[in-house]
Amino acid sequence: MFARAHYGIQFLALCQFLLMTTVHALALPSKRVSIITGANGYLGREIVHALRKSSESEEHTSSQHLILCLVRSGRVEEEETYWKKESMNENCTIRVFPYDMIDGGTTLHAALEHAKESDGSTCIYHVASVFSFTEDHEKMAHDNVKGAEDLMKTVSAVFSKSALNGSNSQNVKVVMTSSMAAVRGSGQTPLNGQYYTHEDWNTLSKLGVNWGNSYQWSKAESEKISWRFAKKHNIPFVSICPSFIFGPPSRESRSKSFSISFVGSWIRGESPVQSRLCVDVRDVAEAHVRAGIMDAATGERIIVSREARIPSLQIGDELKRIAQEKGLETGKIDCDTDFDGGAIKIGDKEVHCEQRMKDLLNGLECRPVTETMSDMAQMLLEQGII
């Protein structure tokens, strides 16, 4: 009788201990680290804003979010100043680190070690790449491929070492910004003969032919190498393939994005408005954030885009409306009506991706192109960028 009572007391004490341990564990703040390469670019800056917004939605939880912005060494002070002006909630901290995409992983290694110290889940968003006209386009292409390869090698090295020390080697994910340029080359016929899907790969673009070919080759090659490395080393990986990105840039943006140059030249009448398969920068940023969080996205290649082009006249009408509201001359805005879309005609389904985005990215839908162009033109005019 005494023995049974003794063991009963021991059992109750054990239950109480386990309960207190569980409550204590639940009370500890969960930690989340996001690392963004190319964080001060057109898309990179928008991803940081979207990540910060996701932290605000967790305001009433104990989740702690550390965001590491990786930028070129000459831009660190400027980026720190930018984020000091932005209001932060107590759950979110933003820090800026220098980054060189082709230094063999040295600067990335420093950021990863800092992230590892937090002992939380880490997601690396690899956005950085060279996208500017240059005569030495072969070097540009090789730099892009090297940057992607070095990133995967560095992630593997840092987190494999963590695993040897008893940490969870799978507590990391890489989300890579690829492109529709990796899906298809100019004039390439889709595998199914109708429209492009995530199963299509660019087989036409060749390194060294010209700038466009070299850039498109680099996006396809960078993504292929990253996928091979991720599978070989068991690194959770997602690739996001956006079409041409438009949309309003973030406040005080110094981005020299082609998107901004294009829309500026259209409004000024320096070149005709073009019909392009495109997507809003805000939707692409949100796709990255959800890909980093959602388990369903892991191991997937996801195209983020509207499924068809709209006529240049429709885009032109929206730009004219905004210009007129701002008191600007609209007669110079002209449209290219000769281009019919190429392999897939304007208005026809060019890419199949909407349902896949919804399924893998928690219901994500891309906003209409007219809304994107309207918001972008208005922002550029208000900020005096054009």
Side-chain angles (χ1 to χ4, degrees):
M1 183 76 176
F2 175 78
R4 285 200 299 269
H6 175 71
Y7 287 122
I9 292 171
Q10 283 188 323
F11 177 74
L12 289 172
L14 176 62
C15 289
Q16 186 178 21
F17 171 76
L18 290 174
L19 178 61
M20 291 180 65
T21 302
T22 303
V23 171
H24 177 67
L26 291 173
L28 288 174
S30 59
K31 296 178 181 178
R32 179 175 154 215
V33 183
S34 299
I35 301 175
I36 308 90
T37 69
N40 64 331
Y42 180 46
L43 174 60
R45 178 71 67 75
E46 195 63 36
I47 290 174
V48 179
H49 275 289
L51 285 166
R52 189 187 66 153
K53 186 176 180 181
S54 74
S55 299
E56 291 173 354
S57 67
E58 301 166 357
E59 188 173 0
H60 300 295
T61 73
S62 56
S63 177
Q64 297 294 315
H65 193 181
L66 172 62
I67 302 175
L68 305 183
C69 299
L70 273 56
V71 303
R72 292 180 180 178
S73 57
R75 294 286 186 87
V76 170
E77 185 176 350
E78 173 189 327
E79 195 68 5
E80 287 176 336
T81 301
Y82 176 86
W83 289 110
K84 284 178 182 177
K85 295 178 181 178
E86 297 289 320
S87 60
M88 299 289 169
N89 69 73
E90 61 183 12
N91 297 331
C92 181
T93 302
I94 295 181
R95 293 176 184 163
V96 184
F97 281 70
Y99 175 65
D100 182 347
M101 187 177 74
I102 55 172
D103 66 358
T106 301
T107 46
L108 176 64
H109 190 279
L112 290 176
E113 288 291 348
H114 187 84
K116 199 171 64 173
E117 291 174 3
S118 72
D119 197 29
S121 63
T122 299
C123 185
I124 299 100
Y125 298 89
H126 183 47
V127 186
S129 70
V130 183
F131 183 59
S132 57
F133 285 116
T134 173
E135 292 184 4
D136 196 354
H137 46 80
E138 288 192 40
K139 181 181 184 304
M140 170 203 69
H142 283 302
D143 285 350
N144 283 340
V145 175
K146 174 176 168 54
E149 186 173 15
D150 287 349
L151 180 134
M152 296 302 292
K153 286 180 178 178
T154 307
V155 169
S156 176
V158 171
F159 284 91
S160 293
K161 187 186 296 184
S162 295
L164 294 174
N165 294 330
S167 299
N168 182 3
S169 62
Q170 295 306 299
N171 209 19
V172 63
K173 180 188 280 191
V174 176
V175 177
M176 179 185 186
T177 309
S178 187
S179 169
M180 273 299 293
V183 175
R184 51 91 172 100
S186 179
Q188 182 172 321
T189 302
L191 285 175
N192 61 23
Q194 296 179 292
Y195 44 72
Y196 305 106
T197 74
H198 65 283
E199 296 181 346
D200 284 273
W201 283 92
N202 183 343
T203 58
L204 294 186
S205 299
K206 306 297 180 185
L207 176 66
V209 174
N210 53 38
W211 181 89
N213 266 267
S214 291
Y215 173 76
Q216 292 182 340
W217 173 87
S218 78
K219 296 305 289 185
E221 193 66 17
S222 296
E223 189 185 346
K224 287 177 182 177
I225 285 176
S226 298
W227 272 115
R228 287 198 295 267
F229 205 91
K231 290 174 181 177
K232 180 179 179 180
H233 296 276
N234 199 26
I235 300 171
F237 184 80
V238 186
S239 62
I240 301 292
C241 301
S243 54
F244 204 95
I245 301 175
F246 288 101
S250 58
R251 181 181 62 80
E252 296 183 9
S253 174
R254 287 181 54 189
S255 171
K256 296 180 180 178
S257 165
F258 281 155
S259 305
I260 295 174
S261 299
F262 273 138
V263 174
S265 67
W266 295 348
I267 292 177
R268 291 189 296 267
E270 297 169 354
S271 63
V273 178
Q274 301 172 349
S275 175
R276 286 182 172 266
L277 183 68
C278 60
V279 64
D280 194 290
V281 66
R282 294 165 292 187
D283 296 327
V284 180
E286 184 61 27
H288 279 74
V289 173
R290 295 189 189 190
I293 296 172
M294 304 293 296
D295 289 337
T298 304
E300 301 289 350
R301 187 179 193 226
I302 308 172
I303 295 174
V304 179
S305 177
R306 297 292 296 182
E307 291 193 331
R309 299 171 187 249
I310 66 171
S312 59
L313 288 171
Q314 197 172 342
I315 297 173
D317 286 344
E318 196 61 31
L319 295 179
K320 287 178 181 178
R321 182 183 68 80
I322 296 299
Q324 190 173 32
E325 288 179 359
K326 299 296 181 181
L328 300 176
E329 183 182 350
T330 61
K332 292 182 179 180
I333 299 177
D334 191 21
C335 300
D336 177 6
T337 55
D338 294 330
F339 177 65
D340 64 358
I344 300 175
K345 304 309 177 188
I346 293 172
D348 291 345
K349 185 175 183 176
E350 187 167 343
V351 59
H352 179 71
C353 62
E354 288 183 359
Q355 189 58 51
R356 189 170 166 79
M357 282 191 295
K358 289 179 183 178
D359 292 343
L360 299 176
L361 299 175
N362 197 28
L364 181 68
E365 294 184 69
C366 294
R367 67 199 73 202
V369 176
T370 50
E371 179 183 337
T372 296
M373 291 299 179
S374 173
D375 290 351
M376 184 176 187
Q378 188 162 327
M379 175 73 79
L380 294 178
L381 289 168
E382 287 177 355
Q383 292 189 2
I385 298 175
I386 56 174

